[in-house]
Amino acid sequence: MHETRRAVLERVADGPVTGPTLADALGVSRAAVWKHVEALRADGFRIDSTDDGYVLEAAPEFGGAAVELGLDAPFDLEYHDSVASTNDRARELAAAGRDDVVVLADEQTGGRGRRGRAWASPSGGIWLSLVLRPDWPPARVPLLTLAAAVAVTDAARARGVDAAIKWPNDVLVPDSSTARGGRKLTGILTEMEGEAGRVSWVVLGVGVNANLDPDELGEDATSLRAERGDVDRAAFTRDVLERFHGLRAAPDDILDAWRDRSATLGQRVRVRTAQGPVEGDAVDVTDVGALVVDTDGGEEVVHAGDCEHLRPA
Ligand code: BTN
């Protein structure tokens, strides 16, 4: 959001505040204040003009401006009511040199999942992609994915949902009656570009099944609505972004945070990898987020694959 518009919004949220007071405080003309107020109204903010000045009566339920209001993390928001894929749009922004941008959508018409799968993204979810330019070696980029999974897990837990992380990056609600050990709440798709040991950009796509009915979701999936009722999506998004920002600033804490929230460690697992299935007990993750599986033939380190939680024999 435009910097002055954000300042106007923050002040009317603490209002009432008069137009002249705003103009003086922000160093702009009264006409400019009025234009920003009108633009905010057009974005869905209900700003009343009272005898004492402007006052914010209601914010839109969702959208870039709704998320930015009170966001304590340095991300710019780009919001779409509908877009093919926030990851595709984020990749365009990354290629144009942008950093710390969040592309957010209410609906995706071509949402993408891991391994070329489609990702159902009807209106009511939280579909977002972060454009990041970390000054990290490429091998450590998976830590960002783990950090996003931790952030979503904690935001869900803060709302009473019993969320945990299935390696590497599915947030699910554990349920041993399901074939895969739980109902999926969130998927993460990380894409990156780099060269010569340097990361150019990372696009971290996070799909949260938020205010959706079970019949809108795929098999073995769940939503925040199905678990605990509808959430304030703007507040949930802010919570995830703020938690993620805190974790990326302390990368050495990410792995332990992930281990604490893992539904996979200690489980009997089968991981389908490009080299074939690996079956055994999941015992740890390495410092780049690879899964250590204790198999009949000894320990194996798995960097990528589809992980299934097996029922104990
Ligand atoms: C998975 O297969 O588990 C990953 C799903 C990732 C979905 C998210 S929704 C926001 C972003 N945009 C996309 O097209 N995909 C990711």
Side-chain angles (χ1 to χ4, degrees):
M1 197 192 302
H2 188 284
E3 211 177 299
T4 310
R5 189 160 306 159
R6 187 200 281 246
V8 169
L9 181 56
E10 281 166 2
R11 282 168 194 253
V12 297
D14 292 336
V17 56
T18 65
T21 307
L22 275 171
D24 282 353
L26 304 177
V28 296
S29 67
R30 291 178 199 187
V33 167
W34 182 80
K35 266 193 193 159
H36 288 302
V37 169
E38 284 303 303
L40 288 164
R41 285 174 171 154
D43 274 348
F45 290 91
R46 217 184 87 214
I47 299 173
D48 287 357
S49 303
T50 70
D51 289 346
D52 297 322
Y54 295 117
V55 62
L56 178 66
E57 287 298 337
E61 187 268 327
F62 198 45
V67 172
E68 275 186 278
L69 179 60
L71 174 66
D72 190 12
F75 297 110
D76 285 334
L77 268 286
E78 179 183 293
Y79 174 74
H80 301 263
D81 285 330
S82 183
V83 70
S85 156
T86 56
N87 261 44
D88 291 350
R89 175 61 188 143
R91 289 176 68 110
E92 286 173 9
L93 296 173
R98 298 288 302 277
D99 185 15
D100 276 359
V101 186
V102 177
V103 181
L104 177 69
D106 175 44
E107 174 195 62
Q108 294 183 120
T109 54
R112 297 191 284 111
R114 290 168 63 222
R115 302 174 169 266
R117 289 187 276 245
W119 178 260
S121 320
S123 167
I126 299 172
W127 321 122
L128 68 85
S129 301
L130 291 122
V131 180
L132 307 167
R133 293 182 178 278
D135 191 12
W136 293 10
R140 283 177 72 81
V141 166
L143 287 180
L144 290 172
T145 310
L146 303 187
V150 170
V152 175
T153 301
D154 286 359
R157 287 184 177 181
R159 287 154 181 86
V161 176
D162 175 28
I165 308 170
K166 179 164 80 83
W167 184 87
N169 47 28
D170 287 350
V171 178
L172 48 71
V173 176
D175 177 350
S176 55
S177 72
T178 60
R180 298 193 148 218
R183 301 184 299 274
K184 185 158 162 174
L185 186 67
T186 290
I188 301 176
L189 175 66
T190 305
E191 301 177 297
M192 65 176 275
E193 196 167 273
E195 58 189 29
R198 214 189 113 256
V199 177
S200 171
W201 53 256
V202 175
V203 165
L204 197 55
V206 182
V208 184
N209 298 331
N211 299 340
L212 299 172
D213 289 329
D215 64 4
E216 296 179 277
L217 303 166
E219 204 190 335
D220 283 347
T222 190
S223 65
L224 294 170
R225 170 183 285 171
E227 297 298 325
R228 297 296 288 195
D230 279 2
V231 294
D232 174 338
R233 287 185 295 163
F236 193 93
T237 307
R238 264 196 304 276
D239 200 0
V240 169
L241 295 177
E242 287 170 0
R243 290 176 192 272
F244 174 80
H245 178 58
L247 284 159
R248 74 171 171 172
D252 292 344
D253 298 344
I254 295 173
L255 274 179
D256 278 341
W258 188 94
R259 287 186 182 103
D260 280 351
R261 292 152 185 80
S262 169
T264 300
L265 297 183
Q267 294 277 342
R268 184 99 192 141
V269 297
R270 184 187 301 124
V271 189
R272 276 186 288 148
T273 74
Q275 293 74 38
V278 176
E279 190 171 321
D281 296 324
V283 289
D284 200 5
V285 280
T286 69
D287 60 357
V288 292
L291 189 66
V292 184
V293 184
D294 188 9
T295 73
D296 289 346
E299 283 194 355
E300 285 197 40
V301 176
V302 182
H303 286 270
D306 260 348
C307 175
E308 199 178 339
H309 290 178
L310 304 175
R311 289 177 206 170

